Amino acid sequence: MKIALITENSQAAKNGVIHDALTTVAEPLGHEVFNYGMYTPEDATSLTYVMNGLLTGILLNSKAADFVVTGCGTGMGSMLACNSMPGVFCGLVIDPTDAFLFGQINDGNAISMPYAKGFGWAAELNLQDVYRKLFDGERGLGYPKERAEIMRANRGILKDLKAASCHDMLTVLKNVDQDLLKTAIAGERFGEYFYANSQDAAISDYLRGLSADAATQGVAEPALS
């Protein structure tokens, strides 16, 4: 599985701690981790929680990633932004029990975590335990097991509902604020990771064109408030 990590500006200083916890768990299980930043608070590109959602939609819909780990101060903003994207099913995960239940009942493709609220002593151990519950073993088996078929059916119904209520990702990219989008994909390693893994030529081509425009014209930083 290809797992993408996205960290927004208010929690950028914790990217190293989060990345270390994620790779410690995921890589021995055979998963690949791609750290899309932010890497430090001083990064040239500043990602907001809204951009977290936009990037999550790009990565999952292009199949450049199979799963996204993101978050913000409370985790709620990034979760809402992620769930505004087509094909993204993001859960708010605070502890290992949340991770287990989300993986077994909802079987989504992204999680958002709080990296300020409740992030204190031994926080890295909580992160590792969360990632183990998510990535070690098969997800979507249901809990309790006797309700597995009902849960599977409801996941399918939700997927159909989201498809009916959302535009496809390429349409989203063409209609979203283009300065917002240019900034979201301006991260230090976005081009290196994304284009090597994307399986959607149309999305890749559109973003390449935007990146070329940004390189010649400069990217206007959107307001953070």
Side-chain angles (χ1 to χ4, degrees), residues 48 50-51 54 176-185 219-220 222-223:
T48 65
V50 178
M51 294 176 196
L54 190 53
V176 74
D177 182 287
Q178 297 298 281
D179 285 338
L180 182 80
L181 178 54
K182 287 175 184 177
T183 303
I185 63 172
V219 177

Side-chain angles (χ1 to χ4, degrees), residues 95-158:
D95 57 35
T97 302
D98 290 340
F100 173 77
L101 294 174
F102 177 69
Q104 296 305 317
I105 296 172
N106 308 107
D107 193 19
N109 51 16
I111 63 164
S112 180
M113 294 191 71
Y115 296 125
K117 180 178 179 289
F119 198 92
W121 189 70
E124 75 283 1
L125 300 182
N126 181 64
L127 292 178
Q128 290 180 27
D129 289 342
V130 162
Y131 301 145
R132 284 191 187 95
K133 290 297 185 183
L134 277 173
F135 302 125
D136 188 5
E138 185 177 353
R139 291 185 293 121
L141 297 179
Y143 185 85
K145 294 290 179 66
E146 60 268 22
R147 290 185 55 82
E149 190 53 45
I150 295 171
M151 293 169 180
R152 187 176 299 110
N154 281 332
R155 289 196 299 270
I157 293 168
L158 180 60

Side-chain angles (χ1 to χ4, degrees), residues 2 7 22 30 32 45 53 66 88 100 144 158 178 193 210 216 220:
K2 293 178 290 188
T7 313
L22 182 55
E32 292 181 274
T45 298
D66 303 302
V88 178
F100 173 77
L158 180 60
Q178 297 298 281
Y193 292 158
L210 276 183
T216 57

Side-chain angles (χ1 to χ4, degrees), residues 54 57-58 85 168-178 181 202-204 206-207 210:
L54 190 53
I58 290 169
M85 295 291 107
D168 66 277
M169 195 66 209
L170 186 59
T171 299
V172 172
L173 295 178
K174 290 179 177 179
N175 286 282
V176 74
D177 182 287
Q178 297 298 281
L181 178 54
I203 290 176
S204 295
Y206 188 76
L207 296 182
L210 276 183

